[in-house]
């Protein structure tokens, strides 16, 4: 299992808590990224929205791509998964930009390709807003162009949305044949596209049984196209405490919707412009990406047991949120990642013969 986390570009993940002690500043995210490497984290997901989805549209937020380029220069092992929305980036220009950041990071850049859902944001920033299935049709062409430019010495493409002719992109990304492409989505159109064109499927939080069903579904779609196996990631909000009672008290605190509702209007837009498999609750509203459903809450032993359930379901990446992140990620690294990895290393291999024998 690899452990990733959402970079707090919005100043936190709790819609009912105004100040989480993690301001959206370069100083905070730089410190967090550098420390996270020491705590055993493998990856950070850098979300891309120009308006603040969590704390309300008038609150500050960090730009994904300039932040990613800056982090590439001040970290050494952390994978930088940068969200990118095709409607906001011409594919040839983005392919060039991403390849350059990949070189700065020595091959640590990956993409989380996201089909835009926020109509008001698109209007404010002068960007076309496509309806659901149209967004995925655009994304298909967008990925075709980016992938072609990363692989081919010279690439041409003409489609409904994009037209590039005899395009040369040098240098190519460090990671070959291309940086990993992560995608998420629950609609039939999304799943078809993900199975065909991405390398990894990232999912909103849910219990291991439901996640396992999605892993099997995407794996079968992939096999039918005679494509190699995918990677699978799941979002989760984690609360690690010395006792289960302490952990549940924290759950009660962060799900009290009476505290604040600054982000509720854009949350409703997200629901109306996506096609989700399940109805959402106020608890899902309180913590982004349905993180509480993953059940990564309790004592360190409880959380490690849950991680093993996800691993058995076919998950190989957890994308975590917590608050405040510096304090909680240090706790998670020392009390969960460290013991979990030591337990894996101690397991016998090859039919009972240890790896060192």
């Amino acid at each position: 299992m690899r452990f990733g986390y959402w970079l707090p570009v919005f100043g936190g993940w709790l819609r009912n808590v105004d100040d989480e002690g993690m301001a959206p500043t370069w100083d905070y995210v730089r410190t967090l990224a550098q420390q996270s490497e020491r705590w055993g984290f493998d990856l950070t997901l850098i979300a891309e929205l120009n308006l603040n989805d969590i704390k309300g549209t008038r609150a500050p937020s960090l730009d994904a791509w300039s932040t990613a380029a800056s982090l590439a220069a001040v970290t050494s092992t952390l994978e930088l998964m940068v969200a990118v929305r095709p409607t906001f980036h011409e594919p040839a220009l983005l392919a060039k930009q991403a390849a350059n950041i990949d070189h700065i990071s020595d091959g640590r850049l990956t993409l989380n390709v996201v089909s835009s859902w926020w109509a008001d944001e698109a209007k404010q920033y002068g960007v076309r807003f496509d309806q659901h299935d149209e967004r995925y049709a655009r994304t298909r062409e967008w990925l075709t162009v980016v992938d072609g430019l990363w692989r081919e010495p010279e690439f041409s493409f003409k489609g409904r949305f994009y037209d590039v002719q005899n395009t040369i992109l040098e240098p190519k990304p460090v990671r070959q044949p291309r940086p990993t492409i992560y995608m998420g989505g629950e609609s039939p159109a999304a799943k078809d596209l993900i199975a065909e064109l991405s390398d990894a499927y990232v999912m909103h939080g849910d219990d291991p049984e439901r996640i396992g069903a999605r892993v099997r579904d995407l794996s079968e779609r992939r096999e039918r196209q005679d494509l190699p196996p995918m990677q699978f990631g799941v979002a989760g909000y984690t609360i690690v405490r010395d006792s289960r009672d302490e952990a549940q008290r924290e759950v009660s605190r962060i799900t009290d919707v009476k505290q604040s509702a600054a982000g509720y209007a854009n949350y409703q837009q997200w629901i109306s412009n996506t096609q989700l498999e399940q109805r959402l609750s106020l608890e899902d509203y309180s913590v982004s990406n349905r993180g509480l459903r993953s059940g990564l809450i309790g004592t360190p032993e409880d959380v490690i047991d849950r991680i093993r359930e996800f691993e058995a379901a076919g998950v190989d990446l957890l994308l975590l949120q917590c608050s405040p992140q510096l304090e909680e990620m240090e706790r998670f690294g020392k009390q969960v990642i460290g013991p979990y990895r030591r337990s894996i290393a101690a397991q016998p291999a090859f039919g009972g013969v240890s790896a060192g024998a």
Side-chain angles (χ1 to χ4, degrees):
M1 182 71 73
R2 293 193 301 151
F3 296 93
Y5 62 94
W6 298 66
L7 198 73
V9 296
F10 305 123
W13 307 108
L14 305 176
R15 291 189 170 94
N16 307 314
V17 180
D18 288 334
D19 185 0
E20 300 181 50
M22 42 200 279
T25 64
W26 165 242
D27 286 343
Y28 188 91
V29 298
R30 177 189 58 204
T31 299
L32 183 69
Q34 291 173 332
Q35 292 293 336
S36 73
E37 293 184 321
R38 300 184 181 99
W39 297 329
F41 287 88
D42 304 287
L43 174 154
T44 187
L45 168 55
I46 308 170
E48 181 189 56
L49 285 175
N50 297 300
L51 299 177
N52 195 314
D53 176 39
I54 306 297
K55 301 302 182 183
T57 57
R58 295 190 178 276
S61 61
L62 298 179
D63 168 69
W65 282 90
S66 56
T67 299
S70 301
L71 288 177
V74 298
T75 56
S76 57
T77 62
L78 199 65
E79 180 181 327
L80 304 171
M81 185 203 297
V82 193
V84 56
R85 296 171 298 166
T87 49
F88 283 79
H89 301 271
E90 289 294 320
L93 297 175
L94 188 283
K96 178 69 174 180
Q97 181 180 355
N100 198 63
I101 297 175
D102 193 51
H103 277 269
I104 295 171
S105 70
D106 194 24
R108 291 183 287 122
L109 183 84
T110 57
L111 298 187
N112 176 29
V113 180
V114 181
S115 292
S116 304
W117 55 265
W118 198 349
D120 282 356
E121 183 213 19
K123 183 177 180 180
Q124 285 192 31
Y125 278 81
V127 174
R128 176 189 175 95
F129 184 77
D130 297 324
Q131 294 305 308
H132 185 273
D133 286 4
E134 192 80 347
R135 294 202 297 271
Y136 282 99
R138 178 186 292 275
T139 298
R140 178 180 293 276
E141 286 194 9
W142 190 94
L143 276 170
T144 299
V145 174
V146 171
D147 184 73
L149 288 169
W150 281 347
R151 293 175 186 264
E152 303 296 333
E154 186 174 301
F155 183 74
S156 297
F157 175 86
K158 184 174 180 61
R160 285 178 56 205
F161 302 98
Y162 301 109
D163 183 354
V164 298
Q165 298 300 320
N166 306 317
T167 307
I168 297 169
L169 189 151
E170 293 292 345
K172 303 297 185 189
V174 174
R175 189 180 302 192
Q176 288 295 315
R178 69 179 188 187
T180 303
I181 301 293
Y182 298 83
M183 294 184 69
E186 297 179 5
S187 70
K191 290 178 180 178
D192 287 343
L193 180 65
I194 292 164
E196 181 182 348
L197 295 181
S198 75
D199 307 303
Y201 182 38
V202 289
M203 296 164 273
H204 292 299
D206 221 326
D207 63 76
E209 183 177 357
R210 286 193 175 96
I211 293 298
R214 293 184 192 129
V215 168
R216 290 190 296 273
D217 176 31
L218 265 294
S219 296
E220 290 168 1
R221 291 170 188 258
R222 191 84 165 174
E223 289 171 5
R224 287 197 293 269
Q225 300 178 68
D226 197 27
L227 294 171
M230 304 183 73
Q231 302 173 47
F232 294 94
V234 176
Y237 189 90
T238 182
I239 300 172
V240 180
R241 295 292 185 270
D242 293 336
S243 72
R244 294 174 183 175
D245 286 344
E246 286 181 81
Q248 287 305 315
R249 284 197 293 272
E250 176 67 0
V251 172
S252 297
R253 182 185 75 86
I254 66 177
T255 56
D256 178 5
V257 297
K258 296 179 181 178
Q259 297 179 69
S260 171
Y264 193 67
N266 49 280
Y267 178 75
Q268 289 295 99
Q269 277 199 45
W270 175 66
I271 293 174
S272 65
N273 285 311
T274 54
Q275 295 180 14
L276 303 177
E277 295 173 345
Q278 302 175 61
R279 296 187 64 179
L280 304 184
S281 67
L282 283 176
E283 190 172 83
D284 294 321
Y285 162 73
S286 301
V287 175
S288 71
N289 300 100
R290 305 205 302 254
L292 290 176
R293 293 194 188 189
S294 294
L296 297 166
I297 296 167
T299 66
E301 294 77 17
D302 291 334
V303 174
I304 289 172
D305 287 344
R306 192 67 159 180
I307 291 169
R308 292 192 175 113
E309 291 180 38
F310 278 117
E311 193 171 43
V315 173
D316 45 36
L317 170 65
L318 290 175
L319 286 167
L320 303 175
Q321 296 174 348
C322 53
S323 176
Q325 277 186 241
L326 270 170
E327 294 84 348
E328 293 297 324
M329 282 175 52
E330 181 178 14
R331 187 201 307 262
F332 192 91
K334 292 178 178 178
Q335 297 185 7
V336 176
I337 296 178
Y340 168 79
R341 287 186 170 150
R342 287 193 292 272
S343 72
I344 296 297
Q347 290 178 358
F350 307 111
V353 178
S354 69

